[in-house]
Amino acid sequence: VPAWETSRVRLVESLKEGGRGTTQGRSSQRLRSVLVASEVGLALVLLTGAALLVKSFLILHGIDPGFRPDRLLALTVHLSPSRYPRLELQTGYFEEVLSRLRAVPGIELVAASATPPLSQVVTGEFIQVEGRPAEPPSADSFIPCDMVSPDFFRVLGIPLRSGRFFTEQDRRGAPGVVIINESLSRRCFPNEDPVGRRIKGALGGSDWWTIVGVVGDVHQFGVEQGVWPQLYKSCLQAGFPRMSIVAQTAGDPLRLAAAVRAQVESVDHDQPVFDVQTLEQKLSGQMAPRRTKMILLGTFAAIATVLAAAGIFAVISYTVAQRTHEIGVRMALGAPGGHILRLVVRQGIVLAAAGVGAGLLASLWLTRYLASMLYDVKPVDPLTFTAFAVFLIGVAASACMLPAWRAAKVDPMTALRSE
């Protein structure tokens, strides 16, 4: 753009003493002003977008997942169906694994789960409550179900609301028992204690399972997914060939990863062990896409703000240099330095205000495309828009202070001799 503007310079007019005041000069000045205002508007769009993503991230980061992710190491074992075809063989394998891990120094508690929190694995069934007519299966009546060992809730710190946890006696041959979470309790047993009630699978299930406890809600599929009704069965009564081992450690879980893996493989080295990581890593990994978008947009917003401030500084400095003669006349006629200071700063603020106005309109239109990336935050947030509009005007005023101070310190006689 500057090269194009330069190619349009009229040689005769530019050589005249008054050439600085020609229409061509005023046109160039307007173009520079438009470019700077556009920078301010773009900076406002990026700043508001980044702020909305930051607010979403902080809200998600503050959500209680329903369990304690610290000091928890998880790994997954998938048993071969040909080697472990029956429930008692699967149960025997995992009981031996848990027994050996309890003897590892540094491990406080250990448990097994078919679908632990954040695993993104879904198993479940449609249930029927005893004494109530069966409802046709639907998406709303599907209940995720997890098979867990007796110490599972203690390891993850999931609180017991009523009843009891599973025990070693809740195994094959004993009466079938289940534990439900608070969401399922509110859905199926509003205003009553579900402990002692019985449920069964609605699709051909013949065995009734007695509810022996109610536990706190867990964000099973991540903090963004909310809380689902959840059903838990004892893995000693309802086995599953694919189980995750979760160990609570006294210190850094990753320091025990090799020892834990070695103990698991020592039971049967032919069974694959994979997905060895801490629950904090899993939770952080689910937040990683949001964190990346937030950092990228925040970085672009910071760069745009710096460029806008630099543009305003450059335009105002250039304008002051072009108006040196005029400033000298004003000061010679008695204009105080404060008047010159306000005159120059006002020009920068007007530029910023024009950019902020355009940026607000663009933000109102563009932030709606961020809706899918926001959590519990509206795309149009008046407080955020207002705060960054004021911030950018403040940045513009600050960028004008040095050129304005220089203009106010101009010697009138020197300025009057300036060409």
Side-chain angles (χ1 to χ4, degrees), residues 236-294:
L236 304 179
Q237 292 184 326
F240 199 69
R242 183 186 187 277
M243 297 288 283
S244 293
I245 309 300
V246 184
Q248 183 187 83
T249 64
D252 183 4
L254 293 177
R255 295 188 176 215
L256 295 175
V260 169
R261 184 170 194 145
Q263 287 296 327
V264 174
E265 292 176 342
S266 68
V267 178
D268 186 347
H269 61 83
D270 291 329
Q271 305 310 307
V273 177
F274 56 96
D275 197 21
V276 182
Q277 59 180 321
T278 68
L279 260 64
E280 285 185 322
Q281 287 176 321
K282 288 188 175 183
L283 192 60
S284 177
Q286 288 196 344
M287 300 287 286
R290 286 186 176 274
R291 187 184 300 110
T292 301
K293 294 171 185 175
M294 176 186 69

Side-chain angles (χ1 to χ4, degrees), residues 200-216:
K200 72 173 183 177
L203 298 179
S206 58
D207 297 330
W208 290 97
W209 297 73
T210 302
I211 300 173
V212 296
V214 179
V215 296

Side-chain angles (χ1 to χ4, degrees), residues 6 30 105 133 202 223 233 312 338 369 416:
T6 303
R30 283 196 298 269
V223 293
K233 293 183 178 180
I312 291 174
Y369 295 105
L416 288 173

Side-chain angles (χ1 to χ4, degrees), residues 114-168:
T115 57
L118 313 179
S119 64
Q120 302 300 313
V121 178
V122 183
T123 62
E125 55 186 81
F126 304 95
I127 64 171
Q128 177 185 348
V129 179
E130 185 180 30
R132 298 180 187 174
E135 298 180 358
S138 66
D140 291 336
S141 62
F142 178 80
I143 307 300
C145 180
D146 190 8
M147 277 66 74
V148 301
S149 65
D151 283 333
F152 172 77
F153 302 103
R154 296 183 183 91
V155 170
L156 271 75
I158 300 174
L160 179 68
R161 301 307 187 193
S162 64
R164 65 173 177 85
F165 291 137
F166 293 130
T167 67
E168 295 294 334

Side-chain angles (χ1 to χ4, degrees), residues 48-60 294-295 298 374 377:
T48 53
L52 294 175
L53 291 180
V54 169
K55 290 180 69 173
S56 295
F57 183 84
L58 293 177
I59 290 173
L60 283 170
M294 176 186 69
I295 292 173
L374 302 179
V377 173

